[in-house]
Amino acid sequence: MAMRWTNTLSENDVTPESVFLNRRQLMAGGAAAVGLGSIGGSLAAAEGLEPSSYEDITQYNNFYEFGTGKGDPAQNAHTLTTAPWSVKIDGLVEKPGDYAFEDIMKAMTIEERIYRFRCVEAWSMVIPWNGFELADLLNMAGVQSDAKYVAFETALRPDEMPGVRFPVLDWPYVEGLRLDEAMHPLTIMATGIYGKDIPNQNGAPLRLVVPWKYGFKSIKSIVRITLTEKEPPTSWNKANAREYGFYSNVNPEVDHPRWSQASERVVGGGLFSKRIPTLMLNGYADEVGALYAGMDLTKNF
Ligand code: MTE
């Protein structure tokens, strides 16, 4: 499985957690040795990131279809049937259709990416995802030249999702990206964590991960991807447009109307959990800052 650039720290073998960090160092050294400048730079930026524990990543979740408590998804999401699974890809694409999850997996290159993950609620983790670049999937379907946005939709299954009885959000959960954000190599579809299949509570069998945006953009258990010309509606923006914009880029300088976004609590460590400063674009400004050149990020929040 190929190594590619941007915070790609090791291959997607089943990596025991215990050897994970050593291996990460090894791969970082290897990339530098063959003189791949951009890889070396990104790896350096990721150095010092201590991945959160598997338990924290899979027991402290937001997946409102299974309840609004942090422990609800881990407790309730086992009811979600994730096989068979297919993703409808439609709208402005050359090859619309229902793509079986297995066929997607056969066609994609699975990589490991260790990313910061920053929730809009001001907590954070560092998560070793396994997955593939969204761009590869979109290219498989063939993006038409007039497409400007990508809309995503989560499964809506009242029989399997106890949380959708409550009108917390307008179900199904929907999200969207501008096409250039979706095609950026940092944007992935995650199918695993720590080399294991992604657990239901984290969005099985495939969920979006956009590491420079607040976590709610990273929509889970996706059943539909639609290429559009117009900016698609997004769940949290529909629920409260004043608090949640379309872009939702991590920005320590733009506070949420009800709390500061200048710092974040690192999940884990119990009483010893620490607060750290939040970084512009969640630490990925060098990689993705150019996407927003000339935009006022306080207005386009
Ligand atoms: N996707 C769906 N379908 N439903 C949700 O409630 N919550 C979002 C996002 N994706 C959510 C979702 C929020 S608010 C966050 S912070 C992340 O999922 C949490 O991802 P994690 O549980 O894997 O850490």
Side-chain angles (χ1 to χ4, degrees), residues 267-274:
V267 173
L271 281 177
F272 303 102
S273 75
K274 45 180 181 177

Side-chain angles (χ1 to χ4, degrees), residues 142-283:
V143 178
Q144 291 181 6
S145 58
D146 45 350
K148 293 193 179 64
Y149 294 90
V150 187
F152 303 86
E153 190 178 308
T154 295
L156 174 54
R157 305 210 192 124
D159 292 346
E160 299 182 1
M161 297 173 153
V164 303
R165 276 181 286 139
F166 307 100
V168 195
L169 288 169
D170 181 16
W171 315 109
Y173 197 100
V174 290
E175 256 306 337
L177 295 173
R178 222 170 54 191
L179 183 61
D180 57 348
E181 298 176 320
M183 297 298 269
H184 193 280
L186 278 181
T187 302
I188 61 166
M189 292 290 253
T191 56
I193 291 173
Y194 271 119
K196 303 183 179 81
D197 285 349
I198 194 165
N200 287 2
Q201 60 266 35
N202 293 89
L206 80 172
R207 59 89 62 84
L208 184 68
V209 177
V210 194
W212 69 94
K213 293 179 179 282
Y214 290 120
F216 67 85
K217 296 294 286 184
S218 292
I219 179 173
K220 296 179 168 181
S221 304
I222 294 168
V223 290
R224 187 172 181 188
I225 299 175
T226 310
L227 280 285
T228 66
E229 215 175 338
K230 290 211 184 81
E231 186 182 290
T234 61
S235 283
W236 282 100
N237 180 261
K238 284 198 285 180
N240 190 336
R242 201 176 73 87
E243 298 192 354
Y244 309 102
F246 176 78
Y247 284 93
S248 298
N249 290 317
V250 174
N251 189 339
E253 290 159 19
V254 177
D255 287 338
H256 186 279
R258 290 181 280 132
W259 59 83
S260 165
Q261 295 291 27
S263 68
E264 63 206 46
R265 176 177 61 87
V266 179
V267 173
L271 281 177
F272 303 102
S273 75
K274 45 180 181 177
R275 271 201 103 77
I276 58 171
T278 289
L279 302 174
M280 181 58 90
L281 294 164
N282 205 26

